[in-house]
Amino acid sequence: MTHAQDIATARPEHTLLARVRALLPGLVLCLAAAGASYGVSLLLPGVSPLIIAIVLGVLLANVVRLPAAASDGIDFSAKKLLRAGIVFLGLQLVLTDILDLGAPMLVVVVCIVAGGLFGTVLLGKLLRVPSGLSLLIACGFSICGAAAVAGAAGVTDPDDEAEEDTITAVALVVIFGTLMIPLVPLITDLLGLGSETAGMWAGGSIHEIAQVVAAGGIIGGGALTVAVIVKLARVLLLAPVVAILSIRQRRLSRTAGEPSQQRSSSKLPPIVPLFIIGFIAMVLLRSFIPLPDFVLTTGGLLQTGLLAAAMFGLGCGVKIRNLIKVGLKPFALAALSTLLVATIAYCGVTLAG
């Protein structure tokens, strides 16, 4: 009997145990890195453990050779733990806080996301950046950084055939979003913007929530609260965008002209992925049910831990030599996308204010 037949005929509990054993080394490594990143963040106020985790992953992957036994667990963390972290991200959103921004600002948020998405995809075509990578950059820069990249990749690339695009898009989110942390406060000072307007602009233009928090803290004067609320309003649009992309992917799969047997063997994403349903459920739970403080605290810690572990896993996939090989075009697209989103946000915030 062959090894494949052994696996096929193994009892379910034995198969599950083998799977756990395969995942354990990498999973422990990612969770330990998440814990270390959280500890470092306590020593460096204003620096997110998510940013520390992804930088740690990049450094580790490019300085030492990671053991092959850790690869399955690292891959699991980068995909599955990230989606679980997105679910708990919903506990940060309170619909009344977002509605309190007012109709004009909510229209601005929709324009930021829609304009950023369509504009970046168009710029990608002009620069001849591969369409899949352009779309992931568009989602990450317009909505909520690495979480949006992973959410979009989960439905546009269900078979992980273009995993390198996901890693590249996440790396660009980290690079350009981090550059925005000092730039936005500096520009708001030069333009003489008030703290509330500056906070809205930061929340409307910066890629990651953690980066928004850092920039809002630098601006000061109450900018942090409004920056986070505007950013969370952008995060809320992750659900409809992923649902639309999923419907689009299903249609593309059906009209690709593949033989029926081949088409049935490939994964068709659900119209609304399970993690997006979980995300929406958490938003509704937070918005309509008075949750005890310990539940919110626990949810926040789970979200941070899961996303930090996932960021470390994604960072481990970033090979500097491979990033150099992608050329200057994706970097140019990322720079233009950042400028586009920031410009739409600035014009919208000043008009709405």
Side-chain angles (χ1 to χ4, degrees), residues 46 48 181 206 208-218 224 227-228 231:
S48 167
I181 294 173
I206 301 177
E208 289 274 2
I209 292 179
Q211 295 159 350
V212 170
V213 171
I218 294 171
L224 177 58
V228 170
K231 180 60 182 177

Side-chain angles (χ1 to χ4, degrees), residues 76-117:
F76 179 87
S77 298
K79 295 172 184 174
K80 305 300 183 182
L81 293 191
L82 193 143
R83 294 175 189 179
I86 292 174
V87 171
F88 285 103
L89 181 60
L91 284 177
Q92 290 194 23
L93 278 74
V94 181
L95 292 177
T96 52
D97 289 345
I98 294 173
L99 292 175
D100 286 345
L101 289 172
M105 192 60 209
L106 293 177
V107 171
V108 170
V109 169
V110 173
C111 290
I112 291 168
V113 173
L117 283 170

